[in-house]
Amino acid sequence: MGELNVEKLIGNPNKGLYLKQLMADIKALEMMLEQNMFEKDILRVGVEQEFCLVNKEWEPVSNADKILAKLDSRYFTSELALYNLEINLEPLEFKGECFSELHKNLNALLDQVQEVANEFDTKLVLTGILPTIETRHLDLSYMTPLKRYKVLNEAITEIRKNDIELHIKGVDELNLKHDSILYEGCNTSFQSHLQIDPDNFADTYNWAQAIAGPVLSICTNSPILMGRELWEESRIALFAQSIDTRASTFILNERESRVGFGNEWAQGNVIDFFKDSVIRFRSLVTSDFKTDSIMELERGNIPKLKALKLHNGTVYKWNRLCYGTSNGKPHLRLENRYLPAGPSTADEIANMMFWVGVMKGRPKEFDNIHTKMDFKDAKSNFFNAARYGMAAQFYWGDSLISSHDLILDHLLPMAYRGLYSMNVAPKDAEHYLRIIKRRVRSANGSRWMVEGFRKLQKDFKISDALKILTATIYERQQKGYTIDAWQLPRGDEFKIPKSDRKVGERMNIRTITAQENDSLELVLRMMQWKNIHHVPILDNHMDLVGLLTWTDVGKYLDRTEDHGENIKNIMQRELVTVTASTPLEEAQKLMQNRKINCLPVVKEKKLVGIITSNDF
């Protein structure tokens, strides 16, 4: 999807031309493999760094396009949301001090962005999901105004024919609907690339699948979305659901998600893998095609396989196979998409080194892993890691083993062997793998974030706690500390301003409600039992229609007659309401002028929270 000039394929009169090009690309790829044209004598590693842009309140700020306009387009590119950007580093040959060199280059490029961002009073934050993202930041006005994102959004929503559903259940639960793919913009990743030999494709790819769960478990960094504790790596569920083309139906549906781990071991060669992708996933976008891949090949040129890359760019395997060219030769690489951004650049490079080290350090006993491990165990391991992080246990060999033991006793030794086999500088290997080792014995990013958030909630409202948490992440990143050395937030990393506050920052979102046809006596007793002074009343459509207050019901409870009367008869119908974006000062004056102690907070007719005099 790096191609900017794209069109929606559905209903496109040039669909036949796209399909012809796609078939030609697959044929050309087959010819290049048969003629042994792929680069094999050199292996390279590369990185894509996504990051978030925030304002002085530590909230997402939609100025990525303005910052990007002042940066070198060779290294920087846009993302779906206007509060995200991406850095593409130059790939390096996999040897010597390539990892410390990548680290140095990454820090230098981030410094470049920060220098430009300072002009806009903006800061950069590396984290898998920015804690301060709210539903208001997922409005289409926050989508980067480029045609490719608009087209992708239209294609996916047209296929679904329904709103996108988001349901993630962890310690807390998030259950929402959305009318665009912008939830995908909540995710920021550290995508690592490893060039591979196409002759050993299936064995290499299957090994990447087998180790994905254990590698992810130590790298999780995205446990919080919209103030809810969800999975240790909530990106895994969020990304899959945010661009799912499958709508819920009453019919049992076996179609595979466009974002996923896969359903079976890879078999055959690279061509079989790409053919399977075309069979399983409907193409979404097309573009202009000025040349034919087979003709390019016959002229002695290396084709770009534009149609195949467009298709592949909208199928989001957590381990994705990519085609590219370098130094006039085609190559294949494996893209690791499950590693999150952050907590620090040193942590990210350590994550990458751990992954590529284990990839290259595979013992012979794990050759042909598809004959020695059930694929469903590999898939189960991956989702266990996403849910539980370092607390996960994995099916490995003939036993169930903890993340700690598997990493320390098996995978770290493998990683050292793999790195040394590629002549990586021992100094680099020791430095970065020691970060992984220390993390196993302390806490990874997601655990630090959960503990910090819980600590802050003892003294602050959720919205304020999330801002302080984000400020702390930024502070620690700027100092270059790795996550094993991070102290929990003190609470003074960001001083909450007293002016320019919004209702959404103080309102209570966990509100007890009743429906207008409920038993009045039961509702009154509930208010007594829980010492609740205000209960919003909803109709059968879950729209706000009234309010019960303690002032109204106190008199009623003293009556001796039957309490079978309907709530409708005593609830207040003429309601004074506010929205989440109403200034707090305005809401306070409204309550004082009306001599009331409560304001329901609404979005259209739907209740989203309640704010009372105590909240001030």
Side-chain angles (χ1 to χ4, degrees):
M1 283 297 294
E3 179 62 54
L4 298 180
N5 186 26
V6 297
E7 300 282 349
K8 191 169 58 173
L9 190 62
I10 303 166
N12 194 308
N14 295 319
K15 183 176 180 179
L17 175 61
Y18 164 80
L19 293 174
K20 181 180 177 182
Q21 291 289 339
L22 183 59
M23 297 304 104
D25 285 357
I26 291 174
K27 181 62 178 175
L29 182 64
E30 200 164 18
M31 292 167 65
M32 286 188 284
L33 283 168
E34 288 172 354
Q35 295 170 27
N36 200 28
M37 296 174 65
F38 278 80
E39 185 177 58
K40 299 176 186 176
D41 54 337
I42 292 178
L43 291 185
R44 295 181 178 84
V45 288
V47 164
E48 297 172 65
Q49 170 77 74
E50 298 172 354
F51 55 91
C52 303
L53 301 169
V54 298
N55 59 21
K56 61 182 180 180
E57 294 272 321
W58 303 102
E59 295 178 335
V61 58
S62 55
N63 58 12
D65 51 346
K66 297 181 179 66
I67 293 172
L68 186 61
K70 294 195 169 192
L71 293 168
D72 187 338
S73 59
R74 289 178 301 165
Y75 301 110
F76 305 98
T77 188
S78 61
E79 278 292 310
L80 176 64
L82 272 170
Y83 40 79
N84 293 335
L85 280 175
E86 179 181 289
I87 297 173
N88 293 290
L89 274 72
E90 293 281 1
L92 298 178
E93 191 173 343
F94 188 0
K95 66 177 184 178
E97 297 181 354
C98 63
F99 291 99
S100 55
E101 187 72 16
L102 278 173
H103 192 186
K104 182 179 73 175
N105 295 344
L106 176 59
N107 284 336
L109 289 169
L110 285 168
D111 287 344
Q112 286 184 36
V113 184
Q114 186 60 74
E115 186 176 348
V116 174
N118 287 337
E119 300 175 25
F120 300 92
D121 202 15
T122 297
K123 292 183 172 64
L124 281 59
V125 177
L126 307 180
T127 186
I129 296 175
L130 187 66
T132 51
I133 286 179
E134 299 176 8
T135 52
R136 61 190 171 93
H137 301 123
L138 301 169
D139 184 86
L140 280 176
S141 62
Y142 282 90
M143 183 180 285
T144 300
L146 288 178
K147 187 176 180 181
R148 57 172 160 161
Y149 300 123
K150 182 174 181 288
V151 167
L152 184 62
N153 181 57
E154 289 175 353
I156 289 176
T157 52
E158 186 170 331
I159 291 173
R160 278 188 60 88
K161 296 182 173 59
N162 286 299
D163 288 337
I164 291 168
E165 299 172 36
L166 186 69
H167 186 201
I168 309 175
K169 191 170 185 178
V171 175
D172 300 319
E173 187 171 6
L174 194 67
N175 197 6
L176 291 169
K177 280 192 174 185
H178 202 51
D179 58 0
S180 78
I181 62 171
L182 254 177
Y183 271 99
E184 192 273 327
C186 297
N187 298 298
T188 35
S189 307
F190 184 79
Q191 292 156 21
S192 302
H193 292 252
L194 172 64
Q195 193 170 331
I196 64 172
D197 185 341
D199 293 341
N200 301 319
F201 159 70
D203 222 13
T204 301
Y205 188 84
N206 288 337
W207 179 240
Q209 295 282 77
I211 66 173
V215 170
L216 175 61
S217 68
I218 194 62
C219 305
T220 58
N221 189 37
S222 311
I224 296 168
L225 176 61
M226 298 184 187
R228 273 79 167 178
E229 289 182 33
L230 302 173
W231 292 10
E232 293 287 286
E233 191 55 41
S234 302
R235 286 172 47 258
I236 302 303
L238 177 61
F239 192 17
Q241 295 181 39
S242 61
I243 56 173
D244 199 344
T245 54
R246 305 167 303 170
S248 300
T249 71
F250 289 104
I251 301 170
L252 184 64
N253 196 322
E254 295 294 341
R255 285 184 299 153
E256 191 176 341
S257 169
R258 294 190 85 89
V259 179
F261 189 78
N263 289 323
E264 58 189 3
W265 294 118
Q267 298 180 24
N269 60 22
V270 171
I271 302 299
D272 296 319
F273 187 85
F274 280 121
K275 285 179 179 176
D276 189 60
S277 176
V278 171
I279 292 167
R280 289 175 183 267
F281 302 104
R282 187 173 177 178
S283 292
L284 300 177
V285 295
T286 184
S287 186
D288 300 326
F289 300 102
K290 296 176 182 176
T291 58
D292 179 277
S293 298
I294 297 176
M295 291 178 63
E296 281 289 295
L297 204 54
E298 290 171 349
R299 292 172 185 154
N301 300 324
I302 301 301
K304 293 184 178 180
L305 307 187
K306 192 172 178 180
L308 183 60
K309 288 172 76 173
L310 273 176
H311 175 81
N312 198 47
T314 60
V315 179
Y316 307 91
K317 297 286 188 186
W318 293 113
N319 285 305
R320 181 158 70 178
L321 183 65
C322 299
Y323 167 87
T325 57
S326 54
N327 298 331
K329 283 189 175 183
H331 70 256
L332 287 172
R333 63 187 186 275
L334 198 58
E335 180 188 22
N336 179 326
R337 299 179 55 82
Y338 56 78
L339 295 178
S344 69
T345 54
D347 282 304
E348 291 176 323
I349 298 296
N351 293 345
M352 179 190 185
M353 178 185 270
F354 180 46
W355 173 62
V356 297
V358 176
M359 283 295 299
K360 300 304 294 183
R362 181 182 75 216
K364 288 199 175 295
E365 64 191 89
F366 288 108
D367 288 349
N368 299 311
I369 190 71
H370 66 286
T371 65
K372 300 165 185 175
M373 184 179 190
D374 193 304
F375 180 81
K376 290 189 175 180
D377 282 340
K379 188 170 183 176
S380 172
N381 288 345
F382 181 74
F383 286 104
N384 281 343
R387 287 186 176 95
Y388 308 118
M390 289 171 60
Q393 294 193 83
F394 301 116
Y395 295 101
W396 192 259
D398 297 325
S399 60
L400 187 63
I401 186 170
S402 71
S403 167
H404 294 67
D405 291 344
L406 181 55
I407 291 170
L408 291 175
D409 298 341
H410 299 270
L411 299 188
L412 273 173
M414 271 188 218
Y416 277 108
R417 285 196 300 270
L419 294 169
Y420 292 149
S421 74
M422 298 301 296
N423 296 316
V424 168
K427 178 182 67 174
D428 267 20
E430 285 290 333
H431 173 67
Y432 290 108
L433 290 186
R434 197 178 293 126
I435 292 172
I436 299 294
K437 192 172 185 178
R438 290 199 306 264
R439 199 189 302 161
V440 173
R441 291 172 171 166
S442 56
N444 63 9
S446 56
R447 194 63 207 167
W448 177 89
M449 198 176 292
V450 164
E451 291 179 2
F453 185 44
R454 290 176 183 174
K455 178 186 176 186
L456 290 169
Q457 285 182 86
K458 294 175 182 177
D459 299 308
F460 299 94
K461 286 277 190 179
I462 287 178
S463 61
D464 293 338
L466 293 171
K467 291 178 180 180
I468 297 170
L469 186 69
T470 306
T472 307
I473 292 170
Y474 175 80
E475 178 189 282
R476 306 289 197 271
Q477 286 172 356
Q478 291 301 299
K479 291 180 178 177
Y481 299 155
T482 53
I483 189 64
D484 57 277
W486 286 21
Q487 297 295 314
L488 293 180
R490 299 178 303 273
D492 61 355
E493 288 82 359
F494 174 57
K495 189 174 181 181
I496 306 299
K498 293 185 178 179
S499 60
D500 299 325
R501 301 292 86 195
K502 299 289 189 289
V503 165
E505 298 172 58
R506 289 288 183 275
M507 69 183 184
N508 298 300
I509 57 175
R510 292 184 172 91
T511 306
I512 293 178
T513 62
Q515 288 190 267
E516 55 187 353
N517 294 321
D518 285 346
S519 160
L520 177 59
E521 183 171 12
L522 177 59
V523 175
L524 299 184
R525 294 304 174 193
M526 284 167 50
M527 294 174 72
Q528 262 191 326
W529 298 335
K530 298 295 289 183
N531 194 27
I532 298 169
H533 286 207
H534 308 91
V535 173
I537 308 301
L538 312 179
D539 65 13
N540 290 334
H541 301 290
M542 306 306 287
D543 292 337
L544 179 68
V545 292
L547 184 71
L548 276 181
T549 71
W550 195 247
T551 304
D552 299 322
V553 302
K555 304 170 188 177
Y556 192 80
L557 279 172
D558 292 335
R559 290 167 52 178
T560 56
E561 57 263 35
D562 178 50
H563 289 168
E565 191 173 343
N566 199 293
I567 289 175
K568 294 179 183 178
N569 296 336
I570 67 166
M571 72 180 185
Q572 296 181 21
R573 295 176 180 274
E574 299 297 324
L575 300 181
V576 182
T577 63
V578 291
T579 67
S581 59
T582 301
L584 202 61
E585 187 177 347
E586 181 182 321
Q588 191 172 23
K589 287 179 179 176
L590 189 60
M591 291 170 70
Q592 290 170 347
N593 293 340
R594 296 295 187 100
K595 296 182 179 177
I596 54 179
N597 295 311
C598 158
L599 288 170
V601 187
V602 296
K603 184 174 183 180
E604 297 175 350
K605 295 181 179 180
K606 301 298 182 186
L607 181 77
V608 295
I610 192 168
I611 187 163
T612 71
S613 53
N614 288 337
D615 295 315
F616 294 101

